[in-house]
Amino acid sequence: MKHELIIKYKKGWMPINFKELWSFRELLYFLAWRDIKVKYKQTVLGAAWAILQPFITMIVFSILFGKLAKVPSDGIPYPIFVYAGLLPWNYFSSALSNSGNSLVASSNLITKVYFPRLIIPASASLSSLLDFFIASIILIGMMFFYHFTPNTLGIVMIPVLVSLTFIVAVGCGLWLSALNVEYRDFQYVIPFLVQIWMFVTPVIYPVTLFPEKYRWLLSLNPMAGIIEAFRAATLGHQPINWDLLFISSGAGFLIFFTGLLYFRRVERSFADVI
Amino acid sequence: MSIISVENLSKQYHIGTKLPYRTFRETLMNVITSPAKWFKSNGLRENNTIWALKDVSFEVKQGEVLGIIGHNGAGKTTLLKILSRVTEPTEGEVRIRGRVGSLLEVGTGFHPELTGRENIFLNGAILGMRKEEIKRKFDEIVAFAEIEKFLDTPVKRYSSGMYVRLAFAVAAHLDPEILIVDEVLAVGDAQFQKKCLGKMGDVGKEGRTVLFVSHNMTALKSLCNRAIWIDKGHIINDGESEAVVANYLHETAKVVIEQNWDDNNNAPGNEKVRLLKARLAPDNKGMDSIITVETPLNVEFVFRNFLPEASLNYSMHLYTMDGICVLNSGSPVFTAKREKIKGICRIPANFLNAETYRVKIMMVQDASVPLYDHNDALIFDVNDIEREGNWYGKWAGVVRPKLDWQVETDNNNAEKS
């Protein structure tokens, strides 16, 4: 007996169909590959942008916040301090905006062909990862220059932290992209959100800038714990703040799972409203 | 046993709102102004809905090639979208036993910046093919599309013919058990259309099932053994394709020589242009109003343009009732402000055959971007006249122009010399 597919109206919350997602894994790869190809084909400098943009930002921030405003930097040189924060932050912010806009940008696919819609925001977050790897070259160079070596635990933690960033970015992307389909207002929310979010995340300043009493508030921001841990893991200048990372990861997973639930609930009407 | 069974399938759409999507403000306002109503009805009012499909039931057996016909907006595409799982039905259910490949549009997901080679892989993956499978069929796809020389050229440099050939080639090599195809043959040149039809015929012969929507009745009759005619969301007729097509043509060949719409947002069109009037005026110089092959015709279209300053042109397609395109004629490009535009196209006498013709009118921007097209803006009969000679059969051809002939016989030459 062949597999029988039943198409009918389904009500309420939908479970996640892992088997189907697995069978479409190649599409995830192809869509991310398309985004990368197209991005680098249309630019003259191509991959150099992935280095130039964070590098120049690092220089500007070092002058403004490091030299002029004298923002503390955990006792290490400000340029490497800020770059080790900018690197994961840039990945997060570009993954978030790409996936937040991904469904509307793929409306021609959504109205014409079936595949699990989750693949669209997920692949959009995945494609930004290449820029992250290219930009890491600068960090490695700076680590040689300033004589920083990560410890073994740090090296083990880096892929974990990158995966966590991916999960938070996809989680936000699921919420924003699905809301964007129905309410186009969210295309204006996304850049604004990214901008504000950076200031409440310890990218250009250390967590210690916050008074001890209010630090738990900061840890509710999933990116706060992740970025602080990423910096500690790569530079090894201080131990990873596990409490902070733990609460932040919890908040991140909460965003991810609620995003997944919301997305699954509304995805069936995407083709009709987009 | 049937491979597809459709039972009491219905699909409701919400219309009447200005935008297809809601803005957050609207929802907020709804919640604030009438919270009770919003929660009860989920913000939707019954009178703003339309049934695109209503209680549609049919079965398709393995190996059947089923044609689906009907006017624009009859529900054909909605049906195909439900069968290909793009949208969910509101009521009823469908049971499908086999892998479905659907082609609702040619070249879905093609990216203009990517090369032909890259797009084959991307498009294949979007349509549900594995990378291995695409690699295996790659040469076959390229050969079918006849684009060997342009494999590494970005598809934005392709001619529209090449683009369509490549897109169809990928889809044609999908090898599904059930193939769903929507009107893809409306594009492409005649030779390639023939090739695509041949490929689809092969698919049918291999024992696979095909569902096929088309306005090309000739293609439909030759491909399909069975047809379904849908109108206003209901199945009107289901049976042998010859008979269903004949019924459909008979029923729908109502002559429309003038249509007027009120100058407001309900006129057909969109926020850029709206069609206000379509009229066919026989230029009989006061004689009777019957249109014959010897009657010159004035075809008039009035549009309302909403674009601030746009260079536009009319483009008119003429079709026979079988869906064969007789001609496509474009007006010169003109500049229009926000105003009414009237365009008249003259079809000379002794040009059309004794047939029923349909007119599609299109407004085009910058000689390349279609802003709006309206099918069946006019439908008219051209009658035959009494001919010389003693043959009264149907004159062959979609047109019947009077052409100049020069005739010489050996006989004449012999006399002169």
Side-chain angles (χ1 to χ4, degrees):
Chain A
M1 179 66 202
K2 252 187 234 163
H3 170 71
E4 186 181 72
L5 174 76
I6 299 173
I7 302 170
K8 62 177 182 183
Y9 178 69
K10 295 175 205 82
K11 239 182 148 160
W13 306 101
M14 299 292 299
I16 293 151
N17 190 341
F18 289 104
K19 203 180 136 199
E20 189 186 63
L21 274 180
W22 179 247
S23 72
F24 276 95
R25 64 191 182 280
E26 281 185 353
L27 184 58
L28 178 75
Y29 158 77
F30 270 113
L31 290 181
W33 168 84
R34 173 200 65 182
D35 289 347
I36 291 169
K37 276 250 169 184
V38 170
K39 185 175 167 190
Y40 290 135
K41 263 189 193 183
Q42 286 171 321
T43 53
V44 181
L45 290 179
W49 276 117
I51 289 187
L52 271 178
Q53 192 242 350
F55 188 71
I56 293 169
T57 313
M58 181 265 290
I59 290 173
V60 172
F61 281 6
S62 298
I63 295 169
L64 274 177
F65 302 116
K67 282 259 181 283
L68 301 178
K70 304 243 182 310
V71 174
S73 54
D74 289 340
I76 59 173
Y78 191 83
I80 193 165
F81 170 86
V82 77
Y83 197 85
L86 271 176
L87 186 64
W89 174 259
N90 279 350
Y91 166 58
F92 175 73
S93 67
S94 78
L96 171 78
S97 17
N98 284 349
S99 68
N101 290 313
S102 60
L103 286 176
V104 173
S106 311
S107 59
N108 64 328
L109 288 185
I110 289 170
T111 54
K112 297 294 182 201
V113 59
Y114 173 80
F115 53 87
R117 307 306 188 206
L118 280 171
I119 288 181
I120 295 176
S123 74
S125 300
L126 204 60
S127 62
S128 311
L129 211 50
L130 183 70
D131 282 358
F132 171 81
F133 289 128
I134 296 171
S136 320
I137 297 168
I138 297 277
L139 184 66
I140 296 168
M142 288 175 84
M143 283 163 72
F144 274 111
F145 184 79
Y146 287 108
H147 303 292
F148 278 98
T149 37
N151 50 33
T152 325
L153 178 67
I155 292 172
V156 173
M157 279 308 286
I158 291 169
V160 175
L161 293 169
V162 174
S163 311
L164 277 173
T165 312
F166 175 75
I167 284 170
V168 180
V170 174
C172 299
L174 290 173
W175 271 109
L176 293 170
S177 61
L179 285 166
N180 210 354
V181 168
E182 194 154 14
Y183 311 106
R184 293 296 149 95
D185 305 60
F186 280 85
Q187 60 192 322
Y188 307 111
V189 171
I190 294 167
F192 177 66
L193 178 76
V194 168
Q195 199 177 32
I196 296 297
W197 200 333
M198 179 168 157
F199 290 110
V200 297
T201 305
V203 177
I204 52 175
Y205 57 86
V207 177
T208 46
L209 197 73
F210 269 68
E212 191 94 50
K213 237 178 19 185
Y214 298 111
R215 235 170 260 174
W216 65 272
L217 203 66
L218 191 69
S219 66
L220 290 181
N221 165 8
M223 287 317 290
I226 294 173
I227 290 209
E228 191 72 5
F230 184 86
R231 195 180 276 137
T234 46
L235 306 182
H237 66 298
Q238 61 181 36
I240 293 171
N241 186 338
W242 294 103
D243 290 346
L244 190 70
L245 180 61
F246 193 73
I247 302 174
S248 285
S249 308
F253 277 107
L254 188 72
I255 294 177
F256 179 74
F257 285 116
T258 53
L260 216 50
L261 283 175
Y262 177 71
F263 192 91
R264 288 288 291 163
R265 197 188 158 97
V266 295
E267 75 171 331
R268 72 196 71 150
S269 65
F270 284 168
D272 297 337
V273 292
I274 203 161
Chain B
M1 191 167 122
S2 49
I3 192 162
I4 303 174
S5 28
V6 176
E7 245 177 83
N8 299 320
L9 199 68
S10 302
K11 173 79 187 178
Q12 192 176 36
Y13 277 109
H14 305 286
I15 51 156
T17 44
K18 208 168 69 197
L19 299 164
Y21 44 84
R22 284 185 275 177
T23 64
F24 203 48
R25 183 173 52 93
E26 258 176 80
T27 306
L28 281 179
M29 285 308 285
N30 284 347
V31 179
I32 294 163
T33 50
S34 48
K37 202 165 116 198
W38 186 79
F39 279 114
K40 252 185 224 158
S41 64
N42 208 8
L44 304 166
R45 270 146 293 162
E46 195 61 29
N47 58 0
N48 269 348
T49 60
I50 182 172
W51 289 97
L53 280 180
K54 189 70 184 151
D55 294 329
V56 168
S57 304
F58 62 92
E59 307 260 321
V60 186
K61 289 195 187 64
Q62 163 133 31
E64 242 180 335
V65 181
L66 174 69
I68 301 169
I69 54 179
H71 282 299
N72 287 344
K76 300 175 308 244
T77 301
T78 306
L79 177 62
L80 295 197
K81 278 190 174 175
I82 294 174
L83 293 178
S84 17
R85 300 173 71 193
V86 166
T87 184
E88 258 191 351
T90 315
E91 286 167 11
E93 67 173 45
V94 182
R95 282 161 191 272
I96 296 180
R97 300 166 190 94
R99 180 180 169 187
V100 177
S102 73
L103 190 56
L104 298 188
E105 179 192 59
V106 167
T108 302
F110 264 34
H111 199 291
E113 294 291 336
L114 298 179
T115 66
R117 182 192 304 276
E118 290 162 343
N119 269 309
I120 291 177
F121 279 95
L122 178 64
N123 191 231
I126 288 170
L127 294 177
M129 276 196 253
R130 289 282 162 77
K131 197 176 170 187
E132 281 311 309
E133 198 181 339
I134 306 169
K135 268 188 189 158
R136 207 172 60 236
K137 292 177 185 159
F138 188 83
D139 293 335
E140 233 180 293
I141 293 173
V142 175
F144 188 89
E146 302 162 26
I147 53 139
E148 288 90 344
K149 274 187 238 160
F150 306 97
L151 255 185
D152 294 305
T153 310
V155 297
K156 67 177 175 187
R157 310 229 184 283
Y158 278 29
S159 69
S160 60
M162 285 159 67
Y163 187 91
V164 172
R165 287 209 299 274
L166 180 60
F168 187 86
V170 180
H173 291 81
L174 199 56
D175 279 349
E177 287 150 297
I178 302 163
L179 182 65
I180 295 177
V181 184
D182 188 6
E183 198 70 66
V184 292
L185 298 165
V187 280
D189 54 74
Q191 204 191 342
F192 192 72
Q193 283 188 2
K194 212 176 250 177
K195 199 167 162 183
C196 298
L197 287 172
K199 180 78 189 170
M200 282 174 54
D202 291 348
V203 170
K205 277 182 205 112
E206 285 162 21
R208 275 177 280 167
T209 312
V210 184
L211 265 69
F212 175 49
V213 162
S214 182
H215 283 121
N216 185 334
M217 296 298 150
T218 318
L220 205 128
K221 276 190 288 190
S222 71
L223 269 179
C224 307
N225 33 37
R226 180 181 154 203
I228 287 179
W229 165 19
I230 298 182
D231 192 42
K232 298 192 182 84
H234 298 273
I235 293 185
I236 302 287
N237 202 343
D238 177 354
E240 205 237 325
S241 57
E242 287 277 346
V244 175
V245 168
N247 287 344
Y248 172 70
L249 293 182
H250 180 74
E251 187 65 30
T252 55
K254 286 182 194 124
V255 174
V256 181
I257 57 165
E258 179 160 355
Q259 290 202 83
N260 291 289
W261 291 272
D262 290 335
D263 192 357
N264 59 31
N265 285 348
N266 294 325
N270 49 42
E271 67 281 0
K272 291 172 182 153
V273 288
R274 289 192 188 278
L275 178 60
L276 301 182
K277 182 179 188 171
R279 189 169 88 103
L280 180 87
D283 196 0
N284 279 1
K285 303 211 170 59
M287 287 157 66
D288 61 304
S289 64
I290 286 183
I291 300 166
T292 72
V293 290
E294 291 184 337
T295 314
L297 300 169
N298 285 336
V299 199
E300 178 187 324
F301 303 98
V302 178
F303 270 89
R304 160 78 61 193
N305 172 40
F306 296 103
L307 296 168
E309 180 119 347
S311 74
L312 304 174
N313 68 283
Y314 282 94
S315 174
M316 179 180 82
H317 283 79
L318 204 61
Y319 296 96
T320 64
M321 287 308 275
D322 273 358
I324 296 164
C325 183
V326 179
L327 59 86
N328 171 210
S329 172
S331 76
V333 175
F334 53 88
T335 310
K337 296 191 181 66
R338 289 196 179 91
E339 60 192 344
K340 266 195 207 177
I341 309 156
K342 180 167 153 181
I344 297 177
C345 175
R346 275 175 241 286
I347 301 175
N350 295 311
F351 176 69
L352 296 176
N353 201 354
E355 278 258 18
T356 304
Y357 293 94
R358 301 162 169 271
V359 177
K360 176 167 98 174
I361 187 67
M362 192 191 278
M363 189 58 86
V364 182
Q365 189 177 14
D366 300 328
S368 56
V369 185
L371 294 179
Y372 176 68
D373 57 279
H374 195 85
N375 277 310
D376 300 340
L378 297 166
I379 301 171
F380 62 94
D381 279 325
V382 176
N383 295 289
D384 212 339
I385 41 146
E386 286 184 27
R387 293 181 219 146
E388 293 166 29
N390 43 18
W391 179 69
Y392 291 100
K394 187 178 176 336
W395 203 290
V398 288
V399 288
R400 185 165 140 187
K402 243 190 192 160
L403 305 175
D404 278 337
W405 285 82
Q406 264 190 335
V407 181
E408 282 173 12
T409 60
D410 268 346
N411 217 351
N412 289 344
N413 290 340
E415 267 173 31
K416 272 181 194 160
S417 57

